[in-house]
Amino acid sequence: MTHKITADYIFTSDGKLTEDIVLITDQNGKILSLDPVSNHDMASLRRLKGMIVPGFINTHCHLELSHMKGMVNSGTGLLPFLNRVVSFRDIDPDIIAQAIIDGDEEMYENGIVAVGDISNKTDTAEVKSTSKVDYYTFVEMFDFLQPSMTENTIAQYVPVMEGQSDHGNNKKSYVPHAPYTVTPELFRYINEKNLSGATVSIHNQEISDENQLFINGQGGFTDFYTGFGMKLDHFIPTGKTSIHYILENLVPGFKTIFVHNTNTNKADIEAAMRWNKEIYWATCPNANLYIENRLPDYKVFLDTDAKMTIGTDSLTSNWQLSIWEEIKTIRKYKSYIPLETLLTWATMNGAEALGYQKNLGSFEVGKTPGLVHIENAESNSEENKIGRLI
């Protein structure tokens, strides 16, 4: 059985919202052809208002934190936010498990077909093994810049890697948390254990204190570590922004996703792009507003032709898990960015970043990218309606 579907606009693989196109799929959503509307009897077509886009790719999520929705105040800044997050203990495992199930289903219903998911535990493994969504699990490691903790950190996360799901199309790799939490020794372990061509994700330049720490050893992170009984006496500032520490310690043999980037400038982007041609920059606008009340300077990413992707972060720092809501937020505050550009970030670029471009990210014959229908997209308002077709 085949389906013939058209709409006012189809987001085609050239990155354009194109009129008068028919998508022909099999019953599983595999693209059989894209034809001009004029080639078909109108009575044979399912015609929809609005636009049809491929399934969305969420390149940054913490599904295992879904149970913390509404538990952490917004607008506090990153360091108080982190202090609050780590203070939660002894949550009922059944509550955690149900929240993970609900989060996975929410993403599916919101048209998300693949997720780059940060995991510090194996709590999400069962859901990922049966989900209708493809997952790239990033087993996230950190030793808080404490060489004495590196060995124990490795011992802690090897079972997480082994226990995470590689069912179906799922993938997994070790990743560093952030420059301010990973020693050179732990970077070396990650470099050695991941296969060439893997994707690695790392939180980057989320607050100005991060750059300060590496430029001159000052800023809020010194007090942050002291508050947890850890010292940074051995830490030697590099005199450069924090991203340079990543570039010096992470090998360029991986696809690399830098996440958040709210304090990243043009020189930082150009340095990273010289270091590795397969660089992606994940923006999580609603989380940035939730935590820091600010957004990245998207203009410098556009000016450098940087490959952007979109993530939701977790329900700890967001109100929902929806890539379309992230797009709406960017359009609200940065309306100079064309919708076609944002859709490219959310589909084709995301699929490339996670290595799913052979089957997801665009409407091309042979792919099964999912079909998402969006009504009233031009209004960028609550009148928008989004739903999965396949």
Side-chain angles (χ1 to χ4, degrees):
M1 179 180 178
T2 60
H3 300 277
K4 297 180 180 181
I5 306 174
T6 187
D8 298 324
Y9 299 96
I10 305 290
F11 186 62
T12 46
S13 60
D14 58 357
K16 303 294 183 184
L17 285 166
T18 306
E19 299 178 85
D20 300 322
I21 295 290
V22 176
L23 287 169
I24 302 177
T25 78
D26 69 12
Q27 61 185 358
N28 297 316
K30 184 177 181 178
I31 305 298
L32 302 178
S33 68
L34 289 84
D35 293 344
V37 168
S38 58
N39 287 0
H40 296 268
D41 179 356
M42 292 299 292
S44 70
L45 305 181
R46 180 183 179 188
R47 185 171 182 87
L48 302 172
K49 293 289 186 182
M51 64 184 186
I52 299 173
V53 304
F56 294 122
I57 313 296
N58 181 358
T59 54
H60 185 73
C61 185
H62 298 252
L63 182 62
E64 68 189 13
L65 299 180
S66 296
H67 61 284
M68 293 182 64
K69 184 176 182 179
M71 291 187 179
V72 181
N73 291 332
S74 61
T76 63
L78 180 64
L79 294 176
F81 175 87
L82 292 176
N83 270 308
R84 181 66 173 156
V85 169
V86 299
S87 70
F88 285 98
R89 304 186 188 280
D90 300 323
I91 305 293
D92 186 334
D94 290 339
I95 292 175
I96 294 174
Q98 187 59 53
I100 290 169
I101 292 170
D102 293 344
D104 173 74
E105 183 63 25
E106 179 181 348
M107 286 193 282
Y108 178 81
E109 293 298 329
N110 285 327
I112 292 170
V113 295
V115 180
D117 186 59
I118 302 294
S119 294
N120 301 118
K121 301 178 180 180
T122 56
D123 292 350
T124 57
E126 183 175 353
V127 164
K128 289 173 181 175
S129 68
T130 59
S131 177
K132 292 171 283 190
V133 175
D134 292 335
Y135 280 92
Y136 200 129
T137 297
F138 298 127
V139 176
E140 183 185 71
M141 307 177 79
F142 44 86
D143 56 8
F144 299 105
L145 292 178
Q146 308 294 309
S148 61
M149 295 178 62
T150 306
E151 187 175 341
N152 286 339
T153 294
I154 293 169
Q156 175 184 349
Y157 283 103
V158 167
V160 177
M161 172 63 82
E162 293 173 348
Q164 271 294 347
S165 173
D166 53 8
H167 176 78
N169 294 322
N170 290 348
K171 307 177 185 181
K172 52 189 178 181
S173 60
Y174 288 112
V175 303
H177 167 254
Y180 56 84
T181 55
V182 179
T183 59
E185 292 79 10
L186 188 53
F187 267 113
R188 280 196 288 273
Y189 180 85
I190 291 167
N191 292 336
E192 292 169 1
K193 291 299 178 180
N194 286 331
L195 298 175
S196 179
T199 297
V200 170
S201 168
I202 184 167
H203 297 79
N204 178 62
Q205 294 175 306
E206 198 168 350
I207 55 172
S208 59
D209 298 79
E210 183 178 325
N211 281 333
Q212 278 186 275
L213 176 66
F214 285 89
I215 292 171
N216 55 29
Q218 299 178 6
F221 276 107
T222 54
D223 290 338
F224 177 79
Y225 277 105
T226 299
F228 286 99
M230 292 180 248
K231 295 182 179 180
L232 290 178
D233 297 346
H234 60 284
F235 177 75
I236 301 174
T238 63
K240 301 176 183 178
T241 56
S242 61
I243 196 170
H244 291 272
Y245 177 74
I246 302 172
L247 306 185
E248 291 163 4
N249 287 283
L250 188 66
V251 298
F254 311 124
K255 290 185 177 182
T256 304
I257 304 173
F258 292 105
V259 181
H260 293 307
N261 315 303
T262 47
N263 288 269
T264 303
N265 61 35
K266 184 177 180 181
D268 293 327
I269 296 169
E270 291 175 338
M273 292 172 72
R274 286 193 298 270
W275 169 75
N276 185 350
K277 296 186 183 301
E278 291 195 288
I279 292 289
Y280 299 85
W281 308 85
T283 184
C284 305
N286 283 320
N288 297 151
L289 293 174
Y290 192 108
I291 298 171
E292 288 285 326
N293 287 324
R294 65 173 294 174
L295 292 171
D297 181 0
Y298 293 116
K299 190 173 187 305
V300 297
F301 293 94
L302 295 172
D303 290 346
T304 52
D305 293 323
K307 281 196 171 183
M308 299 288 292
T309 70
I310 299 179
T312 61
D313 215 327
S314 76
L315 287 174
T316 319
S317 58
N318 207 334
W319 299 271
Q320 67 279 308
L321 299 176
S322 167
I323 293 298
W324 180 245
E325 289 298 324
E326 303 298 322
I327 290 174
K328 286 171 64 176
T329 294
I330 298 174
R331 293 177 76 193
K332 179 178 180 180
Y333 293 104
K334 306 290 180 178
S335 58
Y336 62 85
I337 305 177
L339 177 57
E340 291 172 329
T341 298
L342 298 175
L343 290 173
T344 299
W345 295 1
T347 58
M348 289 180 275
N349 286 4
E352 283 184 20
L354 298 183
Y356 286 126
Q357 69 272 24
K358 289 184 178 180
N359 195 45
L360 305 178
S362 60
F363 293 133
E364 297 179 71
V365 174
K367 292 188 177 184
T368 311
L371 277 68
V372 178
H373 176 219
I374 303 170
E375 295 184 72
N376 301 312
E378 65 281 353
S379 68
N380 196 38
S381 71
E382 294 306 315
E383 296 178 1
N384 293 157
K385 293 182 181 179
I386 181 171
R388 295 186 72 104
L389 297 176
I390 298 175

